[in-house]
Amino acid sequence: MSMGKVYLVGAGPGDEKLITVRGLECLRRADTIVYDRLANPRLLRFAKPGAEFIFCGKFPKHHTLRQEAINELLVRKAQEGKQVVRLKGGDPSVFGRVGEEAAELASHGIEYEIVPGITAGIAAPAYAGIPVTHREYGTSFAVVTGHAKTSDGKPAVDWMSLGGIDTLAFYMGVKNLRYICDSLIQHGRHPQTPVALVRWGTMGGQQTVQGTLETIVRKVEEVGLENPAITLVGDIVALREQIRWFENKPLFGRRILVARTGGEQGNLADALSERGADVIEYPYFSVHERSDEIVVETIARSGEYERILFTSPESVTFFFAAYRRSGRDIRELKAMFYTLSRRTGQKLQEMGFASEIVQPFSASDKWLVVGEACILKNREQYETEWGTCDLLAIYEKEECYEYNANMVRLLRGEPIDTIVFPSAASVETLVRYLERAEIDPYAMFSVASLVCMGERTAEAIQAAGYSAERAASPTLESLIACLITEKVNE
Ligand code: SAH
């Protein structure tokens, strides 16, 4: 068996988009992904189908043993011939123990690469509006540990030497904050020196507390701020007032659950995080195209149909992909196109086809219904509504278990303030998956604002016993406007 390879990849500080292009490339190819608590679990959805996931962030007390076990695991997986990604928060070389892992791999003759990432000590301050250097406020910058493996956990830092450095970023320093501030003052830093703590920097849930070496401990205690946070010390912190930007985004501070039904690209989630929201998409599925004989035959005969109903955006993508592969001319298709939702209609429009939302009626025309494998179970329903039809299961949907398990962890954390339902089907799907995760959907629905786009979705929410706010028109822009102006339940 040929030997595998290990990529020690920096996942970036938090926001999933802050991973490097190279890091993402490695992630997409990996057979095995070993990740920890600080690497954004949303990155896992980029893994290829069938990739193996190993979470190694559960046992903070078993630090030493854990690291040995991880080293061993990386070696073993590579020896099995796997392409392994060891995904670490921030940059793997900054308090990421990459040195130990790389040394272990080297001693076993295993090939590896280190893929740098953006470290939290630079990124979290940047997202709080604080550059770590500035010609007037800070010409030197140091990265310092705020925690050590000693019995009292106090970092063994050369405080005297730090005295000459303008900006200090302490990692893992929340528990020892008092000790850090006292030590800095004792070694000559002015008690009025500005300090900022940035928790979960670059993520929708980012929290910043600002004070001075004298006041910060009290302020941090007041809000109960915990790790993971960067403690930034230096005059440069004062710049935040003027250049903060991320926290000014219109949806900053909002925790929004986007209910999902398929594996379609999360345009909606992207648009919400772009506006600063902390977005959780749940449940998540990956989709796989089917290309068996039935698909090939049905595509070959598709010119015979008078009406084709596309039941989801993916059904459009996969149908036309299969059509192109068949080598046929698109003009052989003479059917009218129908959809169940506007989103699917938009997908068709992007490809240059007009369509209508299907209305329940009975017709004697020959119908083709294209969709996910589950449509095969709904034949009776389709035939009652639209008469005799053929069904084409053009793709399959598979749940992303690891991803969903991580999203459940997030859902159990801070409360969700808003739930967005992009389609009628998403209501039932979300209820089912929340129940499966033993989260009471109705408790969640009663405290959150429920927001949707279309009439059918509003009806589905109503049928479940809740009322939803509906965007003025069923478009993404209108939904966003609705979310920005809407009052969040306290
Ligand atoms: N390799 C990581 C650091 C790992 S040490 C990097 O380069 O960023 C863990 C510490 O990193 C945490 O205790 C916290 O101080 C900091 N940290 C990691 N992610 C963070 C984030 N999103 N916001 C604030 N601090 C973060």
Side-chain angles (χ1 to χ4, degrees):
M1 196 193 318
S2 66
M3 196 76 118
K5 182 166 173 177
V6 179
Y7 296 85
L8 303 155
V9 177
D15 179 348
E16 56 174 319
K17 294 197 175 158
L18 293 176
I19 192 173
T20 61
V21 174
R22 176 67 177 150
L24 189 59
E25 188 176 69
C26 296
L27 198 62
R28 286 197 155 116
R29 286 190 205 145
D31 302 309
T32 300
I33 298 169
V34 182
Y35 68 104
D36 53 33
R37 191 173 85 96
L38 289 175
N40 190 333
R42 285 168 210 173
L43 284 167
L44 299 182
R45 70 176 196 280
F46 296 109
K48 67 181 183 190
E52 172 189 30
F53 301 96
I54 301 171
F55 180 59
C56 58
K58 267 182 198 153
F59 313 108
K61 287 202 182 111
H62 303 162
H63 223 61
T64 325
L65 188 72
R66 205 186 88 209
Q67 189 58 47
E68 281 164 7
I70 295 169
N71 295 351
E72 227 177 81
L73 178 77
L74 298 178
V75 169
R76 182 157 47 83
K77 291 288 171 190
Q79 283 170 342
E80 286 170 14
K82 300 270 169 51
Q83 296 294 309
V84 183
V85 161
R86 168 77 172 109
L87 192 64
K88 289 164 173 288
D91 181 280
S93 313
V94 180
F95 306 127
R97 308 189 74 168
V98 83
E100 292 157 66
E101 292 173 11
E104 184 78 6
L105 295 167
S107 74
H108 284 81
I110 290 165
E111 216 189 323
Y112 61 88
E113 276 186 31
I114 300 178
V115 181
I118 304 176
T119 190
I122 295 175
Y127 270 58
I130 312 165
V132 292
T133 70
H134 185 286
R135 279 199 297 185
E136 283 159 37
Y137 297 91
T139 51
S140 53
F141 164 60
V143 160
V144 190
T145 180
H147 173 85
K149 271 195 287 176
T150 50
S151 57
D152 63 356
K154 304 263 190 299
V157 167
D158 180 352
W159 297 104
M160 280 301 278
S161 310
L162 286 186
I165 296 171
D166 297 329
T167 310
L168 304 172
F170 289 90
Y171 289 61
M172 304 170 280
V174 182
K175 284 210 180 71
N176 290 325
L177 187 60
R178 186 181 297 278
Y179 172 74
I180 292 170
C181 293
D182 289 350
S183 304
L184 289 171
I185 294 172
Q186 273 165 26
H187 289 86
R189 215 165 273 252
H190 199 286
Q192 303 293 314
T193 307
V195 182
L197 266 80
V198 188
R199 179 173 195 242
W200 285 127
T202 78
M203 308 199 61
Q206 172 174 309
Q207 216 182 337
T208 308
V209 179
Q210 213 178 324
T212 63
L213 282 178
E214 239 171 9
T215 63
I216 194 73
V217 173
R218 181 174 44 78
K219 290 189 168 180
V220 163
E221 279 169 4
E222 269 166 20
V223 292
L225 189 116
E226 289 174 6
N227 263 322
I230 288 294
T231 303
L232 200 77
V233 179
D235 292 338
I236 212 155
V237 169
L239 282 176
R240 172 172 150 76
E241 279 325 306
Q242 194 192 348
I243 58 179
R244 60 189 266 174
W245 58 277
F246 180 58
E247 294 162 10
N248 299 342
K249 290 196 172 200
L251 291 176
F252 179 78
R254 298 279 296 276
R255 198 164 152 85
I256 303 179
L257 168 58
V258 175
R260 300 279 307 239
T261 52
E264 70 275 20
Q265 287 298 312
N267 293 345
L268 171 58
D270 272 357
L272 301 182
S273 12
E274 187 74 37
R275 285 157 182 86
D278 188 13
V279 183
I280 299 179
E281 289 181 274
Y282 179 80
Y284 203 86
F285 306 89
S286 58
V287 291
H288 314 286
E289 186 170 4
R290 280 165 63 132
S291 51
D292 50 40
E293 236 164 77
I294 303 181
V295 173
V296 175
E297 277 168 22
T298 315
I299 295 285
R301 285 188 288 108
S302 53
E304 296 167 17
Y305 293 97
E306 276 142 297
R307 295 167 195 264
I308 299 182
L309 170 65
F310 292 96
T311 56
S312 64
E314 298 93 328
S315 67
V316 175
T317 313
F318 292 132
F319 179 86
F320 288 101
Y323 201 92
R324 276 193 298 276
R325 271 200 312 272
S326 77
R328 318 188 81 79
D329 189 304
I330 206 82
R331 287 166 293 189
E332 284 178 28
L333 283 181
K334 57 177 188 297
M336 297 280 292
F337 290 167
Y338 294 89
T339 66
L340 296 176
S341 70
R342 263 182 54 96
R343 277 192 314 147
T344 311
Q346 269 163 3
K347 193 88 213 169
L348 281 164
Q349 199 180 29
E350 283 162 21
M351 300 178 124
F353 299 114
S355 66
E356 274 175 31
I357 299 243
V358 70
Q359 300 295 333
F361 65 94
S362 192
S364 52
D365 292 346
K366 207 166 173 208
W367 281 83
L368 177 66
V369 178
V370 187
E372 199 257 321
C374 74
I375 60 168
L376 301 177
K377 287 186 270 176
N378 301 338
R379 175 181 292 278
E380 213 173 301
Q381 182 203 333
Y382 294 131
E383 299 212 327
T384 339
E385 289 196 47
W386 308 300
T388 325
C389 59
D390 289 341
L391 301 175
L392 175 61
I394 193 94
Y395 68 100
E396 275 163 4
K397 204 161 79 170
E398 194 187 331
E399 182 187 350
C400 300
Y401 286 105
E402 189 77 9
Y403 181 90
N404 284 343
N406 277 291
M407 292 308 113
V408 166
R409 248 179 351 126
L410 297 181
L411 290 173
R412 291 214 176 98
E414 309 275 307
I416 296 290
D417 61 63
T418 307
I419 307 176
V420 178
F421 293 98
S423 67
S426 67
V427 181
E428 186 268 334
T429 308
L430 180 64
V431 168
R432 192 150 42 89
Y433 277 80
L434 285 175
E435 279 174 347
R436 196 192 66 180
E438 293 177 3
I439 297 176
D440 180 358
Y442 300 105
M444 191 185 266
F445 289 12
S446 2
V447 291
S449 313
L450 312 183
V451 180
C452 68
M453 286 197 248
E455 202 180 321
R456 284 169 73 119
T457 313
E459 283 165 12
I461 297 170
Q462 218 151 33
Y466 294 88
S467 64
E469 185 150 354
R470 221 172 95 199
S473 68
T475 59
L476 186 57
E477 293 68 36
S478 173
L479 177 81
I480 289 166
C482 171
L483 284 168
I484 291 174
T485 51
E486 156 221 49
K487 286 233 177 328
V488 180
N489 294 345
E490 291 299 330

